[in-house]
């Protein structure tokens, strides 16, 4: 065990994700298990700069395993992007005797962590928490499973109206740069088509799918649109489809932040618990500058730079079978 590691700080940063609380709990309880003090840093990097830091014990994190959001609150901090902001943050950690950090968040969080851990001598471990599933070095990020379950539940409901009224529905899902939510839920909900940020397929491809769907008398006419795709928002796409096929009645549903809320799924609770424990154990072994992930159901570690810059690839098999199954 590292000699100086006796006070570990934990924070959540970036967009909240279901399962972040389970990860906080895992960090705090592992600290308790190993006889180390844990400190909650509120509102992400902003709270580090503003010294919003409180000691937490094993009981402080009771009954949060099943709750969505994050009890530590979250933010995206512009001040942490400045040298002055990071210096103030470091001084606050020193004031509180914090000598290790676990940061739970996405690529923005780890970009800050990479710079911070180079500038200052505080060991840092990252835990991937984002519904987007867009980090290299882990098969799944915390929150992705829950978000996709929410999307599928919503689409099952939308489908009732789509079929009853013979309407085409465009359902817009999150994922600024990543089509992971869109593609997975397209397969799970039997969508007619899916529009992804990673693909540069022209609108004509979607038109062709609609024509084929009509010819094949498909009653399920759900098209999933990932935000951030190259063609446009779901509303813009719906307008273009209306102009081309005036006889098709279409509606748009933007699921928005519904996807980020609610109790975490069993899979997310287990993932968050495993990654939280692994992050603390790594710090205690003297590791730093790494994101802990899960690859083929095994704990793995990757430097922040690789987790951020490594290219997550679209699941080609899911893409292929989504086309096969929407025949
Ligand atoms: O990164 C998570 C995410 O939910 C993205 O999918 C989405 O584009 C973005 O955050 C929305 O951010 P905000 O809640 O700040 O609008």
């Amino acid at each position: 065990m590292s000699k100086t590691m006796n006070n570990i700080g934990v924070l959540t940063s970036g967009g909240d994700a279901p399962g972040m609380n389970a990860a906080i709990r895992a960090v705090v309880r592992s600290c308790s298990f190993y006889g180390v003090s844990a400190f909650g840093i509120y509102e992400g990097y902003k709270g580090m700069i503003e010294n919003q830091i409180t000691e937490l014990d094993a009981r402080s994190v009771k009954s949060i395993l099943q709750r969505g959001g994050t009890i530590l609150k979250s933010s995206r901090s512009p001040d942490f992007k400045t040298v002055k902001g990071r210096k103030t943050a470091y001084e606050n950690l020193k004031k509180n005797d914090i000598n290790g950090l676990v940061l739970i968040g996405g690529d923005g969080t780890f970009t800050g962590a990479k710079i911070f851990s180079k500038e200052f001598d505080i060991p840092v471990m990252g835990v991937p928490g984002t519904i987007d599933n867009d980090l290299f070095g882990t098969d799944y990020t915390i929150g992705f499973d829950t978000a996709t379950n929410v999307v599928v539940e919503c689409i099952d409901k939308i489908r009732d109206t789509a079929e009853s009224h013979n309407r085409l529905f465009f359902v817009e899902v999150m994922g600024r740069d990543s089509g992971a939510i869109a593609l997975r839920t397209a397969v799970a909900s039997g969508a007619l088509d899916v529009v992804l940020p990673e693909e540069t397929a022209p609108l004509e491809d979607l038109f062709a799918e609609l024509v084929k769907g009509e010819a094949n008398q498909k009653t399920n006419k759900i098209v999933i649109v990932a935000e951030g795709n190259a063609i446009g928002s779901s509303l813009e796409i719906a307008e273009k489809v209306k102009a081309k096929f005036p006889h098709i009645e279409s509606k748009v549903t933007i699921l928005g932040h519904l996807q980020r809320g609610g109790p975490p799924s069993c899979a997310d609770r287990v993932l968050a618990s495993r990654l939280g424990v692994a992050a603390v154990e790594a710090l205690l072994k003297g590791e730093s500058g790494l994101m802990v992930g899960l690859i083929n159901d095994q704990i793995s570690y990757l430097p922040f730079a690789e987790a951020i810059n490594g290219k997550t690839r679209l699941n080609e098999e899911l893409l292929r079978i989504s086309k096969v199954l929407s025949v």
Side-chain angles (χ1 to χ4, degrees), residues 1 5 28-37 277 280-281 284:
M1 190 188 290
M5 184 73 56
V28 173
R29 293 239 165 129
S30 322
C31 285
S32 207
F33 182 84
Y34 289 111
V36 172
S37 298
V277 173
V280 170
E281 289 179 343
L284 296 178

Side-chain angles (χ1 to χ4, degrees), residues 76 130-132 174-176 227 257 260:
R76 295 187 170 104
T130 165
I131 63 164
D132 293 347
M174 277 187 169
R176 245 180 317 223
E227 58 169 1
H257 291 82
R260 287 225 310 246

Side-chain angles (χ1 to χ4, degrees), residues 66 72 77 119 126 135 192 298:
Q66 75 284 10
L72 291 179
S77 166
E119 287 174 338
L135 285 163
L192 175 67
Q298 299 294 315

Side-chain angles (χ1 to χ4, degrees), residues 6-289:
N6 52 7
N7 292 316
I8 293 178
V10 54
L11 62 75
T12 47
S13 163
D16 64 318
M20 277 185 163
N21 279 327
I24 295 166
R25 172 181 177 270
V27 170
V28 173
R29 293 239 165 129
S30 322
C31 285
S32 207
F33 182 84
Y34 289 111
V36 172
S37 298
F39 291 81
I41 303 167
Y42 289 81
E43 288 193 69
Y45 291 130
K46 181 171 177 274
M48 221 153 108
I49 295 170
E50 293 172 357
N51 200 21
Q52 297 184 56
I53 300 175
T54 307
E55 187 164 355
L56 301 172
D57 64 19
R59 298 284 77 73
S60 319
V61 290
K62 68 175 186 205
S63 299
I64 66 165
L65 179 64
Q66 75 284 10
R67 282 169 55 191
T70 158
I71 59 155
L72 291 179
K73 298 184 178 290
S74 192
S75 69
R76 295 187 170 104
S77 166
D79 289 343
F80 198 73
K81 291 185 177 151
T82 67
V83 180
K84 185 167 169 262
R86 292 194 295 274
K87 190 161 175 289
T88 309
Y90 174 73
E91 282 158 7
N92 286 329
L93 294 180
K94 283 279 144 197
K95 245 185 256 167
N96 288 278
D97 264 341
I98 292 174
N99 40 34
L101 279 178
V102 178
L103 310 173
I104 305 164
D107 54 356
T109 308
F110 300 149
T111 303
K114 188 181 84 158
I115 301 167
F116 189 71
S117 60
K118 282 218 171 99
E119 287 174 338
F120 303 105
D121 59 347
I122 290 202
V124 182
M125 288 295 298
V127 171
T130 165
I131 63 164
D132 293 347
N133 207 30
D134 58 350
L135 285 163
F136 192 70
T138 189
D139 289 342
Y140 297 105
T141 55
I142 296 165
F144 175 67
D145 183 68
T146 309
T148 51
N149 282 319
V150 170
V151 170
V152 168
E153 198 185 320
C154 290
I155 294 177
D156 286 348
K157 290 180 177 154
I158 289 169
R159 191 169 172 165
D160 289 345
T161 301
E163 291 199 8
S164 303
H165 287 263
N166 202 24
R167 285 177 185 160
L168 166 66
F169 267 83
F170 294 95
V171 181
E172 185 172 309
V173 301
M174 277 187 169
R176 245 180 317 223
D177 309 306
S178 162
I181 294 176
L183 184 54
R184 196 169 183 82
T185 57
V187 172
S189 63
L192 175 67
D193 204 1
V194 55
V195 184
L196 302 163
E198 293 89 344
E199 275 200 319
T200 46
L203 193 58
E204 283 65 35
D205 283 14
L206 172 60
F207 292 165
E209 283 304 319
L210 293 175
V211 171
K212 199 174 88 188
E214 283 206 322
N216 291 346
Q217 295 173 328
K218 272 188 77 87
T219 54
N220 174 14
K221 286 186 284 189
I222 305 278
V223 174
I224 301 185
V225 178
E227 58 169 1
N229 76 81
I231 302 178
S233 71
S234 50
L235 287 162
E236 288 164 343
I237 293 175
E239 279 302 311
K240 287 174 188 162
V241 167
K242 195 174 172 197
K244 175 87 180 168
F245 305 105
H247 68 285
I248 300 181
E249 190 189 359
S250 69
K251 297 278 175 187
V252 173
T253 303
I254 300 172
L255 294 180
H257 291 82
L258 264 180
Q259 294 158 89
R260 287 225 310 246
S265 64
C266 175
D268 273 328
R269 295 180 200 194
V270 174
L271 175 68
S273 300
R274 292 178 75 181
L275 299 185
V277 173
V280 170
E281 289 179 343
L283 279 179
L284 296 178
K285 280 185 198 139
E287 299 288 354
S288 178

